[in-house]
Amino acid sequence: MSESIIRCEGLNKWYGSIQALKDVSIDIKKGEAVGLVGDNGAGKSTFIKILSGVHKADSGNIYFDGNKVKINNARDSMKLGIETIYQDSALAPTLSIARNLFVGREPLTFKIGSLGLLDREKMARESLEAIKRVELDLRSGDEVVENLSGGERQGVVIARALYFRTKVLIMDEPTNHLSVKETEKVLRWIEKLKAEGTTCIFITHNLHHVYPVSDRLVVFARGEKIADVQKKDTSIEDLTKMIVHD
Amino acid sequence: MNIRKYFKYVASRPEFAALTIFIIIAITFYGINENFLNFRNLRVLFTISPEIALIAMGATILMVSGEFDLSVGSVFALSGVVMVVLTNEGVNAHLAFTISLLMCLAIGFINATITIRFGIPSFIATLGTMFMVRSIAIVIVKADFPTFPMEEMYWLRAIFANPIPGTIFRMSFIWFILITLLLIFYLHRSNYGNWSYSTGANQAAAQAMGVNTNNVKIRNFVLCSFLAGLAGIFMVLRTRAAFPSVGVGYELQAIAASVIGGASLFGGIGTVFGALVGAFLLKFLDNGLVMARLDVNWFRFAVGTLLIFAVISNTNLRRIANKMRE
Ligand SMILES: Nc1ncnc2c1ncn2[C@@H]1O[C@H](COP(=O)(O)OP(=O)(O)OP(=O)(O)O)[C@@H](O)[C@H]1O
Ligand SMILES: [Mg+2]
């Protein structure tokens, strides 16, 4: 578990005159679950947006699997095997689970150039299998996503990550707006992802959520990384103090 | 299939509601005047309906991906005008036909570019090009209408416009069926279709999954404009006249047909079949009012009523279907 999967060196990011990231360096190991914590506006989302290709760092380097990479857009990030989930924007609400699962990576029966005929049988079959793996109580992949609860939606997104054997799954507030029961489910899924060897990076405001499932915690404040500790070397109280007092 | 499942299926597919209304309208007008569905009038109906249906299907596909095109009525007029004027100027008719369609593709591309590059609503961007394109069509023909080059257009008419002997159809209907099948493949069976839906339903999500949403929209703008242009050419070849004033209001009829057929103004919802039914419904209604010797000016009133009714019922049916978990 000592091999690094994502290593960032000296990332800086400005939004106009606001510096959202100040010289941030992080080394994330394969299979690790890393919790990013910090107050509002600390730069957590900015950091993961750089990894997922939504924004570009103004300076600094990113290494993936030991190789220096440039992540210019979401495609680049996905090609590396990084998948990012934003609370409200991970799924298309009016589409079925099956269609959502395969957006951008549709199985095709034949193709001309990039235009291809959907393999709908495979989509139906595999989507059902994928949602079964996360123990979602849904009988078919035809259900429209807007009918699902927040927790079920997260389940679909995690099923997608599992299905495509995502190397790194980044989640921005995966337990936001979820009931206690649904939150527990999401945390169980994260355990499952870890067991499958997926590296997880997640942001949350609720230390009680991140703490049990993380191996490591990284604290951001005003764009800087102010702490980077193994869970065994810290406690919820210590972390809370850091976030509140800095 | 149990009743519940069947009901859910129908409720989540508003094009069936439109189809039902269409059938009711057809039967009602037939009841008022038997000639409504006689050979001659069916020939009329199946000639004019496909033209607006082509535009409506393009509009629906574009709406599915989250954008509008208000310039289709003007493009409908310009394509025919350009083809005829160029031919009159001595250009080979088939070349003029090709140039005209290429021009429509270019207009679609311009609509997309303005919308995407400058990040303005397509409603406004294409409202602008609607005026511009109409203006060009009028300027090109100058004051007098161009004569129709009968001889030069012989083959184009044979391929696209002439009646098929012994049937109620014209050649254009065969093309219409072919295009409809291709569009169904494109929107409902292909990966491009899936990208269109996801782009319209949640652009950020589509982008996060690696879909190039700009390309999706460009493609659909171009497709929409192309279909409008082709419909315009069909009409000119059929009527043997190219008036720069045709197609005024078609952009709104196309959107109305789309919505009646179940498309959502917010993107991510809509079907090719729905657009087709919506368009046929509008034309049958229009023609039916004439055949029933009612004041045709009621047409707009009827369309307006239908539109509001359709949007309300679609929204509610969807809500009901959503509540019915399997
Ligand atoms: N697109 C943007 N344009 C301008 N400024 C931005 C943008 N996104 C973030 N910022 C600013 O950058 C800083 C860091 O924001 P960021 O969203 O990364 O914080 P965060 O740690 O995710 O906060 P939260 O916990 O509230 O989500 C803030 O000051 C924010 O106002
Ligand atoms: Mg944030």
Side-chain angles (χ1 to χ4, degrees), chain B residues 143-194:
Chain B
D144 44 355
F145 300 118
T147 49
F148 185 80
M150 239 356 224
E151 250 170 58
E152 288 86 341
M153 292 288 166
Y154 179 83
W155 280 109
L156 285 175
R157 275 175 54 76
I159 298 169
F160 293 113
N162 286 348
I164 305 170
T167 71
I168 56 170
F169 305 116
R170 284 173 180 267
M171 285 303 290
S172 57
F173 194 76
I174 293 176
W175 290 100
F176 165 69
I177 294 295
L178 209 76
I179 290 168
T180 303
L181 293 176
L182 284 175
L183 294 178
I184 287 174
F185 160 75
Y186 174 82
L187 189 64
H188 304 300
R189 297 281 189 269
S190 85
N191 51 349
Y192 283 19
N194 207 33

Side-chain angles (χ1 to χ4, degrees), chain A residues 129-138 185 188-189 192:
Chain A
E129 236 168 71
I131 51 182
K132 277 205 182 120
R133 274 176 83 187
V134 291
E135 285 144 35
L136 275 184
D137 185 25
L138 297 166
K185 255 192 187 167
R188 269 219 312 280
W189 289 327
K192 193 160 191 155

Side-chain angles (χ1 to χ4, degrees), chain B residues 26-301:
Chain B
I27 293 173
T28 308
F29 282 122
Y30 178 70
I32 297 171
N33 181 351
E34 280 190 5
N35 290 332
F36 180 61
L37 295 182
N38 71 12
F39 189 83
R40 254 187 69 178
N41 201 49
L42 277 177
R43 202 163 68 185
V44 171
L45 287 168
F46 279 87
T47 295
I48 56 175
S49 307
E51 287 165 10
I52 188 79
L54 284 174
I55 305 178
M57 293 189 293
T60 290
I61 292 174
L62 187 57
M63 272 165 75
V64 163
S65 59
E67 302 292 346
F68 295 96
D69 185 354
L70 294 181
S71 71
V72 286
S74 303
V75 171
F76 178 82
L78 183 66
S79 66
V81 163
V82 164
M83 182 182 73
V84 165
V85 169
L86 281 179
T87 308
N88 284 340
E89 294 289 323
V91 178
N92 172 289
H94 302 95
L95 183 61
F97 168 81
T98 311
I99 291 173
S100 167
L101 285 179
L102 288 176
M103 177 197 69
C104 296
L105 299 180
I107 295 172
F109 188 76
I110 292 168
N111 284 336
T113 307
I114 300 172
T115 303
I116 294 165
R117 291 279 166 270
F118 300 101
I120 58 171
S122 49
F123 214 84
I124 301 302
T126 59
L127 182 64
T129 55
M130 172 184 104
F131 287 120
M132 290 155 66
V133 171
R134 176 70 64 190
S135 178
I136 293 169
I138 294 168
V139 171
I140 285 180
V141 285
K142 305 188 191 85
D144 44 355
F145 300 118
T147 49
F148 185 80
M150 239 356 224
E151 250 170 58
E152 288 86 341
M153 292 288 166
Y154 179 83
W155 280 109
L156 285 175
R157 275 175 54 76
I159 298 169
F160 293 113
N162 286 348
I164 305 170
T167 71
I168 56 170
F169 305 116
R170 284 173 180 267
M171 285 303 290
S172 57
F173 194 76
I174 293 176
W175 290 100
F176 165 69
I177 294 295
L178 209 76
I179 290 168
T180 303
L181 293 176
L182 284 175
L183 294 178
I184 287 174
F185 160 75
Y186 174 82
L187 189 64
H188 304 300
R189 297 281 189 269
S190 85
N191 51 349
Y192 283 19
N194 207 33
W195 301 347
S196 297
Y197 278 103
S198 55
T199 298
N202 188 342
Q203 185 162 339
Q207 281 168 354
M209 296 320 294
V211 174
N212 186 331
T213 56
N214 284 351
N215 281 357
V216 168
K217 288 184 178 181
I218 291 169
R219 218 159 19 228
N220 292 348
F221 267 113
V222 169
L223 181 63
C224 183
S225 206
F226 172 81
L227 292 171
L230 191 65
I233 286 175
F234 283 176
M235 194 213 58
V236 165
L237 290 172
R238 166 172 68 85
T239 58
R240 283 163 279 164
F243 296 111
S245 56
V246 294
V248 173
Y250 272 26
E251 58 289 330
L252 297 180
Q253 282 193 34
I255 292 175
S258 299
V259 170
I260 290 169
S264 159
L265 292 164
F266 303 108
I269 303 175
T271 62
V272 171
F273 181 65
L276 186 153
V277 172
F280 271 70
L281 200 159
L282 290 188
K283 283 299 158 192
F284 272 59
L285 185 64
D286 192 3
N287 175 279
L289 288 171
V290 178
M291 297 295 284
R293 294 180 209 287
L294 290 167
D295 186 342
V296 224
N297 290 312
W298 284 109
F299 173 63
R300 287 194 178 84
F301 185 89

Side-chain angles (χ1 to χ4, degrees), chain A residues 75 89 91 114 118 146-147, chain B residues 189 192 202 205 210 318 322:
Chain A
R75 253 212 130 82
S89 68
L91 300 169
S114 61
L118 295 176
E146 65 189 352
N147 304 349
Chain B
R189 297 281 189 269
Y192 283 19
N202 188 342
R318 197 172 169 79
N322 281 352

Side-chain angles (χ1 to χ4, degrees), chain A residues 15-16 18-21 38-47 49 55 172-173 203 205 220 223:
Chain A
Y15 292 115
I18 302 170
Q19 187 166 10
L21 284 185
D39 210 354
N40 292 109
K44 306 180 296 291
S45 295
T46 303
F47 173 68
K49 278 177 182 164
H55 290 315
D172 198 345
E173 318 236 5
I203 295 177
H205 279 284
F220 276 72

